[in-house]
């Protein structure tokens, strides 16, 4: 929690600094007509320079090479170029470019601040959403459990030694005991996990989401074939809908993004319970087939 809060504060302060830069750029280049005329007069009265040296009436500035015509000329010609470059209309055009430049850090600042605000809102709403869900169904709610993440069947490499869990909901859905809780993964990002207790033990299996090869390489090939046959999850580059999960013994676990509203939490729970029902149906069919043989 401390690491995440620190990151959010750093992002928030960075957003403020970037926003301040944008405001400074915008303010420094937002001039009234009177200010533009005054600046035009001031810059028009400056000395005419040729190669860093002050020119006087009658002098000629000699320039050679590419663009020599724009860089050289008589004093009168050089003065006319200088006055043309500092006309109020030209200065306003230059200021408009800087105003557009100033909008970029302002937009970046706004996006960062919105992301921080949304993160804080989600963090604040998650406990309330789970408490509401638990109260509505007669389930139990616990703000923090010191060891649950390490005991719930999460895939160990995802825990980074942290075994505590927060905002724990425990209950039963369609005959399946379940747990909903939050924990921190290896990058200290807070995730939500759902664990359903199955009535029978299963061999180890792990399904990877958003992957061309959905079944983990450490899942037994026989189990992979079984999953492909019974659940339609195959180790191919097909677009068969699948759901990331892992199972071992009587524990079925899914990790999802944080869910804050009761309806969103309940929808994820129903999806996990539905997966448990499909697994149990597949087990029953397999057992029945073995008995027939």
């Amino acid at each position: 929690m401390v690491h995440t809060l620190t990151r959010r504060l750093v992002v928030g302060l960075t957003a403020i600094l970037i926003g301040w830069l944008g405001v400074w750029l915008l303010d420094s280049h937002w001039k009234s007509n009177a200010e533009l005329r005054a600046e035009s007069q001031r810059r028009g009265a400056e000395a005419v320079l040729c190669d860093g040296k002050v020119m006087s009436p009658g002098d000629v500035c000699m320039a050679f090479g590419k663009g020599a015509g724009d860089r050289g000329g008589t004093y009168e010609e050089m003065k006319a170029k200088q006055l043309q470059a500092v006309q109020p209309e030209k200065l306003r055009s230059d200021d408009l470019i800087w105003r557009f430049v100033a909008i970029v850090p302002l937009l970046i600042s706004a996006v960062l601040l919105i992301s921080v605000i949304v993160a804080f809102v989600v963090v604040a709403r998650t406990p309330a959403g789970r408490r509401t869900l638990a109260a509505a169904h007669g389930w139990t709610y616990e703000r923090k459990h010191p060891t649950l993440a390490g005991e719930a069947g999460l895939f160990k490499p995802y825990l980074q030694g942290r075994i505590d869990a927060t905002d724990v909901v425990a209950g039963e859905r369609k005959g399946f005991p379940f747990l909903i809780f939050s924990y921190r993964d290896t990058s200290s990002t807070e995730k939500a996990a759902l664990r359903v207790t199955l009535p029978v033990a299963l061999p180890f299996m792990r399904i990877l989401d958003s992957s061309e090869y959905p079944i983990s390489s450490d899942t037994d090939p026989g189990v992979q074939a079984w999953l492909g046959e019974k659940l339609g999850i195959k180790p191919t580059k097909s677009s068969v809908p699948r759901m990331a999960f892992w199972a071992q013994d009587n524990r079925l676990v899914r990790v999802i993004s944080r869910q804050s509203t009761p309806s969103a939490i309940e929808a994820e729970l129903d999806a996990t319970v539905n997966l448990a029902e499909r697994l149990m149906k597949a087990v029953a069919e397999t057992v029945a087939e073995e008995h027939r043989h």
Side-chain angles (χ1 to χ4, degrees):
M1 181 67 180
V2 174
H3 296 303
T4 302
L5 179 60
T6 301
R7 283 204 305 269
R8 289 171 184 157
L9 289 175
V10 169
V11 172
L13 289 174
T14 302
I16 292 172
L17 290 174
I18 294 175
W20 176 84
L21 173 62
V23 171
W24 177 79
L25 286 171
L26 198 61
D27 181 66
S28 61
H29 293 278
W30 195 284
K31 299 180 178 66
S32 65
N33 290 333
E35 289 174 323
L36 287 172
R37 285 194 297 271
E39 183 176 353
S40 176
Q41 292 173 359
R42 178 183 61 78
R43 293 174 63 176
E46 293 175 351
V48 179
L49 301 179
C50 176
D51 197 21
K53 296 179 180 180
V54 177
M55 294 182 66
S56 300
D59 291 345
V60 176
C61 182
M62 303 298 293
F64 302 93
K66 188 176 181 180
D70 294 329
R71 293 183 286 108
T74 65
Y75 171 85
E76 289 73 19
E77 290 172 338
M78 298 289 283
K79 185 65 177 181
K81 292 177 185 177
Q82 176 179 303
L83 292 174
Q84 181 62 34
V86 297
Q87 289 299 305
E89 295 76 13
K90 183 63 169 62
L91 295 177
R92 183 179 298 281
S93 176
D94 292 342
D95 279 354
L96 284 174
I97 295 174
W98 278 105
R99 289 178 198 176
F100 282 113
V101 172
I103 290 174
V104 174
L106 286 175
L107 290 175
I108 295 174
S109 174
V111 170
L112 290 176
L113 282 175
I114 290 172
S115 68
V116 171
I117 291 171
V118 169
F120 274 113
V121 168
V122 171
V123 169
R125 290 179 61 186
T126 296
R130 292 189 191 172
R131 279 196 300 267
T132 300
L133 184 66
H137 293 278
W139 299 331
T140 62
Y141 171 82
E142 186 177 3
R143 179 67 185 95
K144 186 171 184 178
H145 191 293
T147 59
L148 176 61
E151 301 165 353
L154 287 170
F155 195 56
K156 296 300 183 183
Y158 290 171
L159 288 176
Q160 197 183 27
R162 300 178 64 105
I163 59 174
D164 58 310
T166 57
D167 302 312
V168 183
V169 175
E172 187 174 293
R173 190 77 158 180
K174 294 184 179 181
F176 292 94
F178 72 85
L179 293 171
I180 304 172
F181 59 93
S182 295
Y183 76 103
R184 298 200 175 279
D185 64 11
T186 53
S187 63
S188 292
T189 301
E190 191 162 1
K191 297 286 187 65
L194 299 100
R195 191 197 79 177
V196 170
T197 301
L198 305 173
V200 299
L202 295 176
F204 177 78
M205 58 184 74
R206 183 153 65 103
I207 301 300
L208 311 175
D209 198 16
S210 301
S211 171
E212 291 184 344
Y213 194 87
I215 299 175
S216 171
S217 60
D218 50 3
T219 298
D220 182 87
V223 176
Q224 293 185 22
W226 183 82
L227 286 167
E229 177 187 355
K230 298 297 183 180
L231 300 184
I233 301 173
K234 302 178 181 180
T236 64
K237 295 184 179 181
S238 64
S239 58
V240 176
R242 57 184 182 271
M243 181 182 296
F245 68 90
W246 59 82
Q248 188 170 22
D249 298 327
N250 66 339
R251 297 172 301 191
L252 169 65
V253 181
R254 287 183 60 224
V255 170
I256 59 174
S257 60
R258 290 175 61 90
Q259 303 294 317
S260 57
T261 64
S263 60
I265 300 168
E266 194 163 5
E268 291 290 357
L269 174 60
D270 284 338
T272 308
V273 170
N274 175 264
L275 175 61
E277 289 177 327
R278 291 170 60 202
L279 284 168
M280 292 302 94
K281 180 181 178 182
V283 169
E285 291 174 351
T286 301
V287 172
E289 289 170 1
E290 290 178 351
H291 283 313
R292 284 197 297 271
H293 296 314

